[in-house]
Amino acid sequence: MRRAITLAVVAGVVLVGASPAAAAGRVQELPVPAGTSTLGSPRVNGGGYAWTVSTSSSTHKAVVWHRGTPRVLEPDAVSSTVHDVNDRGLAAGSHVPRGESLTRAAVWQDGRRTDVGGPYSQAVAVGEDGRVLVTTYVPERRERLEVWQRGRSEVLYEGPQGGGYPLLGDGGHVVHNVVDANGDTVVREWDKRGRVVADLKAPAEYYGLSPLTVNRRGDIAFQTSKGYPNFRVLVWQDGVFSDPGSLPYAQLTHLNYLDPFFHTFLNDRGELAYVSGNRVFRWHAGVLTDLTPDAGYGDLPYIAGINNRGDIAARYTTADGTARSRVFSRDGTVVDVTGLPGSTRFLISGLNPDRKEVVGIDFSGDTRFFLQRF
């Protein structure tokens, strides 16, 4: 297996210094369930669905919005969680039934629940074809990974826990950390038919592989490190690992380590959105583009998604504590996200995979949820 490392030359980085355009987007506030005190990081898809978890004083419940109207999943359960929704509205997550204490993987369609796993399970992703990725943690630190579809399940892996959360790409690829026959932890990739495509280990000088994105082609983006604390990003494409590179002074090159269920860093064209030091970059086929050459010392950016149009959403805090969110287009256009009228504190956490559209949470007063289109 080839493991050539391609390292981008930072001296040849393309700089994009376009000034932000006045935000001409339309902002829509989405109603939240009564009693909501906080919201988890919301997401949005191309089918008009948005989703997150609403937390009240006593519990947390999964909520899915369609065309602005919210639906609470399993309002009578002890709790419920939603991790993914496809464009047809099939939601995947888990719930704790009333009178019980253990999670069970489930899917919901139009509010109707189907359990797809037993105790200790959760549904972590759903494909456009209705394939659902289910993981179950069983006693003695073992794990079962399976794909459920229309009432039938196919087990891909059962063995010691490998760590992290599994991924399901739009092309049907499944990626997860597993323990192989030699007792080594590897990143295994399966294709849509359940066949093993590759068992991957970190190249020499890199330590550990945490897969965070798999695209339709089966390309994978990883968080790794190259000597503590030099965190790095690696991309697996066409049988080769590539290191997109970093700023000379940057010890931290990352995707977004704040949310383990955020997986939109690599689009179907193979474009990667990531952070090096205090800057936001686009990388594609060995070409590195600096989207924030005007970033100030001490800025702290995080990626909020890249879509198949090549738009990149990012949020960051400047050295003086000011929060800012922007969307960078492939043509160099930059727009500021304004949030709700009069807002002073908000953050974005999701980008539509098909359109220039973001979702976010406003913290100016009561917790509020908004969607902004450009």
Side-chain angles (χ1 to χ4, degrees):
M1 183 182 300
R2 292 187 301 141
R3 288 183 176 171
I5 298 293
T6 304
L7 181 61
V9 179
V10 177
V13 168
V14 178
L15 302 180
V16 178
S19 298
R26 182 168 66 89
V27 182
Q28 176 185 4
E29 182 173 358
L30 302 182
V32 300
T36 296
S37 56
T38 61
L39 291 173
S41 299
R43 307 283 187 255
V44 62
N45 69 21
Y49 293 88
W51 63 94
T52 189
V53 172
S54 167
T55 300
S56 68
S57 59
S58 58
T59 187
H60 59 268
K61 296 292 174 62
V63 187
V64 175
W65 288 257
H66 187 221
R67 297 174 181 172
T69 301
R71 181 194 294 270
V72 177
L73 303 183
E74 295 305 306
D76 296 328
V78 174
S79 64
S80 59
T81 300
V82 58
H83 294 309
D84 196 13
V85 181
N86 70 10
D87 286 356
R88 297 181 181 182
L90 183 63
S94 63
H95 71 111
V96 178
R98 181 176 294 277
E100 298 186 21
S101 60
L102 302 178
T103 63
R104 293 178 179 269
V107 294
W108 292 264
Q109 184 75 62
D110 300 322
R112 295 188 296 273
R113 187 192 80 243
T114 301
D115 285 343
V116 297
Y120 300 102
S121 66
Q122 55 183 329
V124 297
V126 57
E128 294 306 321
D129 60 359
R131 289 158 50 89
V132 180
L133 191 58
V134 179
T135 183
T136 303
Y137 296 99
V138 295
E140 298 179 357
R141 296 188 59 80
R142 295 182 66 82
E143 178 181 14
R144 182 170 64 251
L145 179 66
E146 57 195 308
V147 175
W148 179 95
Q149 186 175 30
R150 300 182 182 93
R152 300 182 63 181
S153 291
E154 177 187 5
V155 176
L156 298 181
Y157 171 78
E158 188 162 3
Q161 293 180 25
Y165 291 96
L167 307 175
L168 174 64
D170 288 340
H173 299 87
V174 174
V175 178
H176 192 36
N177 283 300
V178 303
V179 178
D180 68 11
N182 297 320
D184 296 328
T185 299
V186 299
V187 175
R188 180 164 295 171
E189 180 175 17
W190 295 263
D191 65 13
K192 188 174 183 177
R193 296 182 180 181
R195 299 174 300 191
V196 176
V197 175
D199 277 351
L200 304 175
K201 294 184 180 181
E205 299 183 4
Y206 292 82
Y207 301 90
L209 288 176
S210 296
L212 294 183
T213 303
V214 57
N215 67 7
R216 186 179 296 275
R217 304 189 311 182
D219 304 333
I220 310 170
F222 302 89
Q223 188 71 59
T224 183
S225 62
K226 194 176 183 181
Y228 183 83
N230 296 311
F231 298 110
R232 287 291 183 269
V233 173
L234 283 176
V235 179
W236 173 260
Q237 291 179 331
D238 300 321
V240 175
F241 280 109
S242 295
D243 184 333
S246 64
L247 295 171
Y249 60 83
Q251 291 185 320
L252 183 63
T253 296
H254 68 89
L255 297 170
N256 182 339
Y257 50 80
L258 297 180
D259 186 345
F261 283 98
F262 187 68
H263 305 306
T264 52
F265 307 105
L266 186 68
N267 66 16
D268 290 341
R269 188 169 179 253
E271 295 174 300
L272 175 76
Y274 76 107
V275 169
S276 178
N278 61 343
R279 313 269 267 276
V280 177
F281 287 91
R282 174 188 283 109
W283 176 87
H284 182 232
V287 177
L288 192 60
T289 304
D290 186 351
L291 302 179
T292 54
D294 59 342
Y297 180 77
D299 286 4
L300 296 173
Y302 295 94
I303 301 299
I306 181 170
N307 62 21
N308 289 321
R309 294 163 33 102
D311 302 317
I312 294 174
R315 68 179 192 263
Y316 53 97
T317 304
T318 61
D320 64 2
T322 302
R324 172 174 289 171
S325 297
R326 286 179 172 174
V327 179
F328 306 85
S329 297
R330 191 184 289 144
D331 63 5
T333 303
V334 185
V335 293
D336 278 314
V337 180
T338 60
L340 296 168
S343 175
T344 57
R345 294 178 62 238
F346 66 90
L347 61 82
I348 60 173
S349 60
L351 174 69
N352 192 306
D354 301 322
R355 298 189 293 275
K356 190 184 292 187
E357 175 182 86
V358 297
V359 287
I361 304 172
D362 188 285
F363 302 100
S364 296
D366 294 335
T367 299
R368 302 164 74 188
F369 180 29
F370 70 90
L371 180 150
Q372 185 163 359
R373 301 182 181 93
F374 300 92

